[in-house]
Every structure is written in C-alpha cells, then in structure tokens.
Amino acid sequence: MSSNQLDKKSEAWSALFSEPMSELVQRYTASVFFDKRLADADITGSLAHADMLAAQGIISTDDLAAIQRGMTQIRSEIESGAFEWKLALEDVHLNIEARLTQLVGDAGKRLHTGRSRNDQVATDIRLWLRGEIDLIAGLLRELQLALIEVAEKNIDVILPGFTHLQVAQPVSFAHHLLAYVEMFGRDEARMQDVRKRVNQLPLGSAALAGTTYPLDRERVAKTLGMEGVCQNSLDAVSDRDFAIEFAAAASLVMVHVSRLSEELVLWMSQNFAFIRIADRFTTGSSIMPQKKNPDVPELARGKTGRVVGHLMGLITLMKGQPLAYNKDNQEDKEPLFDTV
Ligand code: ARG
C-alpha cells in the first residue's frame, strides 16, 4: 500500500482481493457525487472524535493538532471548490480521509481509530439533518408570521366558507388564514419532536459491535451538542427511522402547503375571483392573452408528490434489512436531500 497517497479504495482492503474493482461496480457503488453534501458534518464529526481520542490518550496531542490543521485546510479547499473529489474513493468519508492522510501523513489514518464508516455515516446524516431541521423550523415560523400579518389586515373581509366546496357560512378571511397558522404550528412542533431522536450519537458503535478502545462517547456527544448516545450499536449503525420520521413530518408540511396552494389556485380563477396574485408571481400565455397562471402555487402543489414519494422510498428501503448495516442504506441520502 502506498503510504501517503491512498488513491484507490481497494488499497485499503486485505490481501483477499487479487484484482481491482470493476469500473462499472465502482460507478454503481460510489456515492461521492451526492454525499459530498455531508462534508461539513463529516469534518465536524471527525474533529469531535479526534478530540476525544486525544483526551483518552488513544492518539497523541501531536496527532490531534495535525488532524485539526489538515481538516482546516480541507474545509477551505471544499469551500473554494479546489477539493478534488475522486470517484475511485467511493464516498465523502474516504475522500476526506485520503486527503487528510495526504496532507498530514499517518495521523490522518489514526483518526479512524475505534470508528467505522458505518457509525461515521450515521453520525454525519444526523448532524446534517439536525441543521436542516433548524432551518426548516425557522422557515415555518416565518411563514406563520406572514400569514398572521395578512390575517390582521383582513379581519373584516368576509368570504364564503365552504363545506363540500358548496357555499356554507360566511367567515372572516383572517379566520381562514389562521387555520393554516395552526397547521404550520403543528408542523414545526413535529419537526422539533423528530429533532430529539435525530440528535443522538451513533459514534462508538464502530462497524456494528462497538470497539475495545476506551472511547468516551459522552464527551463526543457533548462536543457535538447531541442530546445523548445511541444505546445499542447494532441499532445505531443500521436504523434510519429518524430519516423516515423526518420525511413523514416533511410530507405533512407539504400537504399543508399543497392545500393552501390549491385554495390560491381556486381563488384566483375567474369563477371565484376572490384574490389577485401580483403579476410578478404569475405567468402568462402568448396564445391566450386573457390568461394569468398561478404557476407558483401549482408547482408547490406538485412538489408535494415528490416529498410524499420520498417517504415511501425511505420506508421501503428499511423494510426487510437484516441487522446491522447494509449498503442499501446508502440509498437514504438522495431522497432525504431532495425532501429537504
Ligand atoms: N457510503 C456509505 C453509505 O452511505 C458509507 C458507509 C459504508 N460502509 C461500508 N461498510 N461499506 O452508507
């Protein structure tokens, strides 16, 4: 094995392999072109792991300093676009580790002590998703405030309330909008609830059965701002129920977005004529100049199908997987990323 330039993944494996991986298999199994989105979480998780390894005396403080220096450089290379992602290195984890080893030598390899890509990837997804949940929760609150603002201006505006889409009783437009404020409020609460189960630390589980190194998992959890450590290693590396829960909560967000969108589309049609949507938010037609189309709410309604589809994809991905980690789980990322 070339010691300071690990360019091909197969070089990290055992003497069991007598030929390099087929190029077709390499392309089929690689995930780097989508999981590089996890790079920042991967580095954050690695730095917390390295800090703990040094505190426990498992690696030297010199190694820790080298790892920190290397990771700082890698972070800026990724930010500037200078980082060279290699398909032959399969995924974000091996790409970063190989570059680290290239930059700081054997200290880079010692970073992986007491760790496997199995607990590493589970940690990365959780860290990344936690950040996204916080952004989404913030957006839901902003959306609620925007609806409240419109409601406040429209307390005296009366519109027909419908049941069965038949005119039923008069209601205040404000009252109607505040119904959505309730829906998005529950959506945010669901996100916060999912967050608690996302924010648990898998590291320390290693490949599936833990490690004999005297790791301090609580320290890593604390460094990463996680609420606790996953209690069972087999479970920690294999289940993606937290991603499924997130997709379910996201599906409900989209169902509510879709209902609101549907109402905007109806209200804007000439038959209802309840609202006008500003020109800058609509599209036109050259052959039918009388038309103004609500493309934005229509697209929002349409995107709902994608998110609900990802929920089905993720839940089906999990079904039938024996314990513990299986490569199937690599398929969690694209639906999760697209859902976000
Ligand atoms: N790219 C892999 C994934 O997303 C990382 C874990 C790979 N682990 C393994 N033992 N092959 O799931």
Side-chain angles (χ1 to χ4, degrees):
M1 190 192 300
S2 55
S3 67
N4 59 358
Q5 190 147 9
L6 195 69
D7 264 1
K8 285 197 299 298
K9 191 177 26 134
S10 55
E11 290 175 358
W13 295 339
S14 69
L16 223 53
F17 294 84
S18 59
E19 57 174 4
M21 185 189 274
S22 131
E23 201 258 334
L24 185 62
V25 173
Q26 216 168 74
R27 274 193 289 129
Y28 191 63
T29 57
S31 54
V32 62
F33 291 108
F34 51 84
D35 69 16
K36 64 182 177 187
R37 189 185 298 223
L38 298 174
D40 193 62
D42 193 71
I43 293 172
T44 302
S46 285
L47 288 173
H49 181 68
D51 158 83
M52 178 276 294
L53 291 177
Q56 295 292 99
I58 301 168
I59 62 170
S60 68
T61 50
D62 284 353
D63 278 352
L64 174 62
I67 291 165
Q68 288 168 334
R69 176 164 43 80
M71 287 303 198
T72 305
Q73 174 161 346
I74 290 172
R75 258 207 172 109
S76 72
E77 286 177 1
I78 292 172
E79 263 166 39
S80 73
F83 191 90
E84 201 191 325
W85 298 100
K86 293 183 184 143
L87 181 94
L89 287 167
E90 188 182 327
D91 59 22
V92 60
H93 324 291
L94 293 177
N95 268 272
I96 290 178
E97 189 185 312
R99 178 67 181 138
L100 182 69
T101 304
Q102 204 176 45
L103 287 171
V104 305
D106 284 349
K109 287 185 191 161
R110 285 193 282 271
L111 163 65
H112 209 51
T113 311
R115 189 176 71 167
S116 152
R117 269 188 297 155
N118 295 354
D119 56 348
Q120 187 179 356
V121 70
T123 302
D124 290 6
I125 307 168
R126 284 167 181 270
L127 280 176
W128 174 83
L129 188 57
R130 181 183 73 185
E132 297 300 323
I133 286 174
D134 290 343
L135 293 175
I136 290 167
L139 289 171
L140 284 168
R141 285 192 295 273
E142 276 178 40
L143 180 54
Q144 284 182 292
L145 290 177
L147 287 166
I148 290 169
E149 204 177 299
V150 180
E152 276 170 348
K153 289 184 192 138
N154 288 279
I155 295 169
D156 298 327
V157 174
I158 304 299
L159 86 162
F162 296 90
T163 65
H164 311 269
L165 203 59
Q166 303 289 312
V167 171
Q169 289 178 321
V171 292
S172 156
F173 186 48
H175 192 53
H176 196 110
L177 288 179
L178 290 175
Y180 286 101
V181 172
E182 294 297 308
M183 294 178 227
F184 293 126
R186 289 192 298 276
D187 287 336
E188 200 225 320
R190 261 186 288 274
M191 286 290 169
Q192 299 297 359
D193 192 55
V194 174
R195 190 189 195 279
K196 290 183 217 146
R197 284 176 295 280
V198 168
N199 202 21
Q200 302 285 331
L201 182 76
L203 276 180
S205 305
L208 75 166
T211 162
T212 50
Y213 285 102
L215 306 183
D216 182 352
R217 302 183 65 209
E218 273 75 22
R219 182 188 173 103
V220 179
K222 194 159 171 253
T223 308
L224 294 174
M226 287 186 148
E227 286 173 42
V229 299
C230 299
Q231 295 295 320
N232 182 289
S233 62
L234 298 168
D235 174 46
V237 292
S238 65
D239 209 339
R240 298 291 183 265
D241 59 353
F242 64 90
I244 297 169
E245 271 192 73
F246 169 77
S251 293
L252 279 169
V253 172
M254 289 308 293
V255 165
H256 294 149
V257 167
S258 186
R259 294 187 72 186
L260 177 58
S261 299
E262 168 68 5
E263 300 214 282
L264 294 176
V265 172
L266 283 177
W267 291 343
M268 186 194 166
S269 77
Q270 287 88 341
N271 305 300
F272 279 79
F274 288 180
I275 59 166
R276 276 188 307 274
I277 296 183
D279 287 355
R280 63 184 181 284
F281 296 124
T282 60
T283 60
S285 160
S286 54
I287 198 172
M288 299 170 284
Q290 83 282 10
K291 271 169 60 90
K292 225 187 247 181
N293 297 328
D295 282 26
V296 175
E298 286 174 293
L299 260 182
R301 193 176 59 190
K303 284 176 195 293
T304 307
R306 258 167 69 185
V307 174
V308 175
H310 293 324
L311 168 62
M312 291 305 119
L314 285 167
I315 204 163
T316 310
L317 173 67
M318 213 59 242
K319 177 193 176 296
Q321 278 194 50
L323 290 178
Y325 175 85
N326 302 283
K327 185 75 166 179
D328 309 41
N329 278 340
Q330 184 165 289
E331 287 288 313
D332 64 354
K333 290 172 199 63
E334 289 161 292
L336 195 56
F337 294 163
D338 193 50
T339 297
V340 164

